Protein backbone atom coordinates (compact mmCIF):
# COMPACT_ATOMS: atom_id res chain seq x y z
CA UNK A 1 0.00 0.00 0.00
CA UNK A 2 2.76 2.48 0.89
CA UNK A 3 4.51 1.85 -2.42
CA UNK A 4 1.37 2.90 -4.23
CA UNK A 5 1.08 6.03 -2.12
CA UNK A 6 4.72 7.05 -2.02
CA UNK A 7 6.27 5.15 -4.92
CA UNK A 8 7.84 6.86 -7.89
CA UNK A 9 5.21 8.30 -10.19
CA UNK A 10 5.59 7.33 -13.83
CA UNK A 11 6.64 10.45 -15.68
CA UNK A 12 5.70 10.47 -19.35
CA UNK A 13 6.00 13.36 -21.79
CA UNK A 14 3.85 13.49 -24.93
CA UNK A 15 5.23 15.25 -28.01
CA UNK A 16 2.88 16.42 -30.72
CA UNK A 17 3.81 17.11 -34.33
CA UNK A 18 5.68 20.41 -34.67
CA UNK A 19 5.34 20.25 -38.46
CA UNK A 20 2.71 19.15 -40.98
CA UNK A 21 4.16 16.45 -43.19
CA UNK A 22 5.24 12.88 -43.74
CA UNK A 23 6.64 10.95 -40.78
CA UNK A 24 10.09 9.43 -41.43
CA UNK A 25 11.85 6.89 -39.20
CA UNK A 26 15.10 8.26 -37.80
CA UNK A 27 16.94 5.28 -39.33
CA UNK A 28 15.73 6.43 -42.77
CA UNK A 29 17.05 10.01 -42.54
CA UNK A 30 19.65 10.40 -45.31
CA UNK A 31 22.36 11.70 -42.97
CA UNK A 32 24.52 9.30 -40.91
CA UNK A 33 24.62 11.62 -37.87
CA UNK A 34 20.83 11.37 -37.55
CA UNK A 35 20.19 7.88 -38.95
CA UNK A 36 22.97 6.48 -36.74
CA UNK A 37 21.35 8.27 -33.77
CA UNK A 38 24.68 9.88 -32.89
CA UNK A 39 22.84 12.92 -31.49
CA UNK A 40 20.05 10.82 -30.01
CA UNK A 41 16.87 8.97 -30.88
CA UNK A 42 13.74 10.55 -32.24
CA UNK A 43 11.64 10.91 -35.35
CA UNK A 44 11.78 13.05 -38.49
CA UNK A 45 9.17 14.79 -40.60
CA UNK A 46 9.29 15.77 -44.27
CA UNK A 47 7.53 19.16 -44.14
CA UNK A 48 4.61 20.14 -46.37
CA UNK A 49 4.93 23.81 -45.38
CA UNK A 50 7.43 26.15 -43.76
CA UNK A 51 6.18 26.24 -40.18
CA UNK A 52 7.65 24.73 -37.01
CA UNK A 53 5.75 24.98 -33.71
CA UNK A 54 6.52 23.80 -30.19
CA UNK A 55 5.69 20.08 -29.83
CA UNK A 56 5.22 20.44 -26.05
CA UNK A 57 5.29 23.09 -23.31
CA UNK A 58 8.98 23.87 -22.86
CA UNK A 59 11.73 26.44 -22.48
CA UNK A 60 13.72 27.54 -25.52
CA UNK A 61 17.29 26.71 -24.49
CA UNK A 62 19.05 27.25 -27.79
CA UNK A 63 18.40 29.19 -30.97
CA UNK A 64 21.19 28.51 -33.43
CA UNK A 65 22.56 31.75 -34.93
CA UNK A 66 22.01 30.18 -38.36
CA UNK A 67 18.30 29.83 -37.46
CA UNK A 68 18.12 26.24 -38.78
CA UNK A 69 17.73 24.54 -35.39
CA UNK A 70 16.03 25.10 -32.04
CA UNK A 71 16.72 23.42 -28.70
CA UNK A 72 13.92 22.95 -26.15
CA UNK A 73 13.82 21.62 -22.59
CA UNK A 74 10.62 20.23 -21.09
CA UNK A 75 9.58 20.64 -17.47
CA UNK A 76 10.78 17.11 -16.71
CA UNK A 77 14.19 17.82 -18.24
CA UNK A 78 13.94 16.19 -21.67
CA UNK A 79 16.04 18.10 -24.17
CA UNK A 80 14.89 18.23 -27.77
CA UNK A 81 16.63 19.41 -30.91
CA UNK A 82 14.56 20.30 -33.95
CA UNK A 83 16.88 20.52 -36.95
CA UNK A 84 15.15 22.00 -40.01
CA UNK A 85 16.50 20.26 -43.11
CA UNK A 86 19.86 18.61 -43.62
CA UNK A 87 23.08 20.63 -44.01
CA UNK A 88 20.98 23.78 -43.69
CA UNK A 89 23.62 25.31 -41.41
CA UNK A 90 25.37 26.17 -44.68
CA UNK A 91 22.54 28.58 -45.58
CA UNK A 92 23.74 30.89 -42.76
CA UNK A 93 20.19 31.78 -41.73
CA UNK A 94 18.90 32.62 -45.21
CA UNK A 95 15.35 31.40 -45.71
CA UNK A 96 14.58 31.17 -41.97
CA UNK A 97 12.76 33.45 -39.54
CA UNK A 98 12.90 32.71 -35.81
CA UNK A 99 9.94 33.81 -33.68
CA UNK A 100 11.31 32.98 -30.19
CA UNK A 101 14.34 33.78 -28.05
CA UNK A 102 16.52 31.74 -25.72
CA UNK A 103 15.04 31.58 -22.23
CA UNK A 104 11.49 32.04 -23.50
CA UNK A 105 8.79 29.64 -22.28
CA UNK A 106 6.55 28.26 -25.02
CA UNK A 107 3.33 26.26 -25.07
CA UNK A 108 2.61 23.37 -27.41
CA UNK A 109 1.56 24.87 -30.73
CA UNK A 110 3.43 28.19 -30.33
CA UNK A 111 5.20 29.29 -33.52
CA UNK A 112 8.98 28.77 -33.28
CA UNK A 113 10.34 29.14 -36.81
CA UNK A 114 9.01 29.83 -40.27
CA UNK A 115 11.04 28.99 -43.36
CA UNK A 116 10.88 29.35 -47.12
CA UNK A 117 10.27 25.73 -48.07
CA UNK A 118 10.95 26.28 -51.78
CA UNK A 119 14.26 28.04 -51.02
CA UNK A 120 15.32 25.15 -48.78
CA UNK A 121 14.29 22.55 -51.37
CA UNK A 122 16.49 24.37 -53.91
CA UNK A 123 19.47 25.03 -51.63
CA UNK A 124 19.75 22.11 -49.18
CA UNK A 125 20.24 18.38 -49.75
CA UNK A 126 16.95 17.65 -47.95
CA UNK A 127 14.20 19.40 -46.01
CA UNK A 128 13.66 16.37 -43.74
CA UNK A 129 13.46 17.72 -40.19
CA UNK A 130 14.71 15.47 -37.37
CA UNK A 131 13.23 15.92 -33.88
CA UNK A 132 15.86 14.42 -31.56
CA UNK A 133 15.98 13.63 -27.83
CA UNK A 134 19.52 14.78 -27.06
CA UNK A 135 19.71 13.57 -23.45
CA UNK A 136 18.56 9.99 -23.88
CA UNK A 137 20.23 8.97 -20.62
CA UNK A 138 17.10 10.26 -18.84
CA UNK A 139 14.79 8.15 -20.98
CA UNK A 140 13.42 4.75 -20.03
CA UNK A 141 11.38 4.19 -23.17
CA UNK A 142 10.28 6.03 -26.33
CA UNK A 143 7.12 5.07 -28.16
CA UNK A 144 6.92 6.54 -31.65
CA UNK A 145 3.85 7.11 -33.77
CA UNK A 146 2.79 4.47 -36.27
CA UNK A 147 1.17 7.22 -38.33
CA UNK A 148 2.76 8.11 -41.67
CA UNK A 149 1.38 11.65 -41.65
CA UNK A 150 1.84 14.31 -38.98
CA UNK A 151 -0.55 17.17 -38.28
CA UNK A 152 0.60 20.08 -36.14
CA UNK A 153 -0.62 19.85 -32.54
CA UNK A 154 -2.81 16.80 -33.34
CA UNK A 155 -0.57 13.83 -34.11
CA UNK A 156 1.29 12.51 -31.07
CA UNK A 157 4.68 11.72 -32.56
CA UNK A 158 6.44 10.42 -29.43
CA UNK A 159 5.61 9.34 -25.93
CA UNK A 160 8.70 9.50 -23.71
CA UNK A 161 8.86 7.68 -20.36
CA UNK A 162 11.57 8.92 -18.00
CA UNK A 163 13.76 6.72 -15.80
Amino acid sequence: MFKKLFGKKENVEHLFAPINGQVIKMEDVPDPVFSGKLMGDGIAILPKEGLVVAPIDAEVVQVFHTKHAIGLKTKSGIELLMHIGLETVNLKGEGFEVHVAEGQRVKAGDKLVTFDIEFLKSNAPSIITPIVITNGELVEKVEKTASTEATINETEIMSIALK
Side-chain angles (χ1 to χ4, degrees):
M1 179 174 123
F2 287 110
K3 260 192 178 177
K4 283 184 182 177
L5 290 174
F6 302 107
K8 184 179 164 188
K9 255 181 152 176
E10 186 179 343
N11 199 354
V12 178
E13 295 272 18
H14 301 277
L15 270 63
F16 290 88
I19 301 167
N20 289 323
Q22 179 187 348
V23 176
I24 308 282
K25 291 180 182 173
M26 192 62 81
E27 298 82 2
D28 295 336
V29 173
D31 181 311
V33 171
F34 292 109
S35 63
K37 301 180 184 178
L38 300 178
M39 297 185 79
D41 198 5
I43 206 160
I45 298 174
L46 180 61
K48 287 184 179 174
E49 61 189 351
L51 172 64
V52 180
V53 304
I56 192 169
D57 296 355
E59 178 185 353
V60 178
V61 292
Q62 189 168 21
V63 176
F64 288 71
H65 71 281
T66 49
K67 305 176 187 174
H68 75 289
I70 298 268
L72 300 176
K73 187 173 186 176
T74 69
K75 68 179 184 274
S76 66
I78 294 170
E79 295 175 0
L80 302 169
L81 172 70
M82 292 188 292
H83 192 284
I84 305 162
L86 302 178
E87 297 181 34
T88 46
V89 66
N90 299 331
L91 300 177
K92 299 181 172 93
E94 190 175 351
F96 297 95
E97 185 177 350
V98 176
H99 302 278
V100 293
E102 288 180 10
Q104 183 176 337
R105 300 224 39 96
V106 293
K107 297 273 187 202
D110 286 354
K111 186 187 326 184
L112 301 177
V113 179
T114 50
F115 59 95
D116 182 337
I117 194 166
E118 295 307 320
F119 177 80
L120 264 63
K121 284 179 180 178
S122 299
N123 293 283
S126 175
I127 61 168
I128 288 175
T129 300
I131 298 109
V132 183
I133 303 163
T134 58
N135 60 343
E137 68 276 2
L138 299 180
V139 176
E140 178 80 34
K141 182 179 180 184
V142 177
E143 288 187 29
K144 300 174 190 176
T145 184
S147 178
T148 57
E149 288 294 315
T151 302
I152 284 177
N153 231 15
E154 283 183 27
T155 308
E156 185 176 323
I157 58 167
M158 285 188 277
S159 173
I160 306 164
L162 298 167
K163 291 181 179 173

